[in-house]
Amino acid sequence: GAAADPTVGRFMPPDAAGPGDIAFLTDPKYAAAMKTTKASVVVIREKDVAGVWGEEAPSQTLVLTSNPYAFFAYASQVFFPVKREPGVRPGAVVEAGAEVDPTATIESNAVVKAGAKIGARVVVGAGSVIGEDAVVGEDTVIHPNVVLGSETQVGRRCVLQPGCVIGGDGFGFAPFLGEWVKIPQIGRVVLGDDVEVGANTTIDRGALEDTVVGEGTKLDNQIQLGHNDRIGRHCVMAACVGIAGSTEVGDHTMVGGAAMVNGHIKIPAGSAIGPATAITGWGPEACQRTGFFPAMEGKEFQLTAAMVARLPAMRREVKALERRIAELETLIRKGEA
């Protein structure tokens, strides 16, 4: 029978797990592998137990939960906590007027500028720069080579992956006599609690008002958010998404990889955008929108592209044929009369 209190140390797929491991079931297609797993502990929904073992008594210890994947996420944080060794490392620079909590970690070659405030248990990775008057909330982890522009506000328990830039200038220029005149960007970036920002993602500071990312939102790598964007709570965006300035994205919106979103539009809460989709506007209702041209065999794509290019002309031809048919029908009716 199962041990009353097994000792475990890592998660593994059911077919590769051994003693001391935990396996979890989220997809019924892995039920057979789960039945024969050598894992010491199995995380599973109660309604799936009979489908795996039938009337048999499983040899593993079971953890019953409504969401095994979420259990895996929370338990993994316990297994792999962030290592924190409080203090300012040699080579780090903390300017006069900056406030660094004594429990925070400032790694080598990091710079904390005057007026910045670093909260309890924060980690500022090697080579990162925390700008003037920026504020970083407690338990936030800033990985190496991150830049926070001046006055950037970062909430509690955020994670900023390597190379991201939060609070660089927004893209603001006024046309004048064939040239472009820079508009100073004096707004801030404000990140809520529990926000994650992926590697090399950039979030521009506002022109006048703030650029805002709501609590719990997760941004993948190489995303660009333009100035004055307002991203809601608990949104998720995959890699390479680009959102132009002054766009509002409602709470719990999902955006697929490489989607492009126009500026000055409002996307309702609970919406979804498919991958590689271009959004130029939106109606009042939440919905799922996807629009892209999937890859095709070369010659087939060339033929299809040529047909698409002819659509305006074909539409004119169809309209002319419709008018001609209507005229002929009128003549026929007159003749019959």
Side-chain angles (χ1 to χ4, degrees), residues 321 323-334:
L321 288 171
R323 288 193 298 270
R324 183 58 178 159
I325 290 171
E327 292 169 356
L328 292 172
E329 288 176 340
T330 301
L331 292 173
I332 292 171
R333 285 195 295 269
K334 289 180 178 179

Side-chain angles (χ1 to χ4, degrees), residues 281-303:
W282 205 286
E285 302 296 330
C287 62
Q288 194 278 338
R289 294 188 173 187
T290 299
F292 62 88
F293 213 90
M296 304 169 65
E297 190 274 331
K299 291 183 178 179
E300 184 179 1
F301 173 78
Q302 291 175 359
L303 176 60

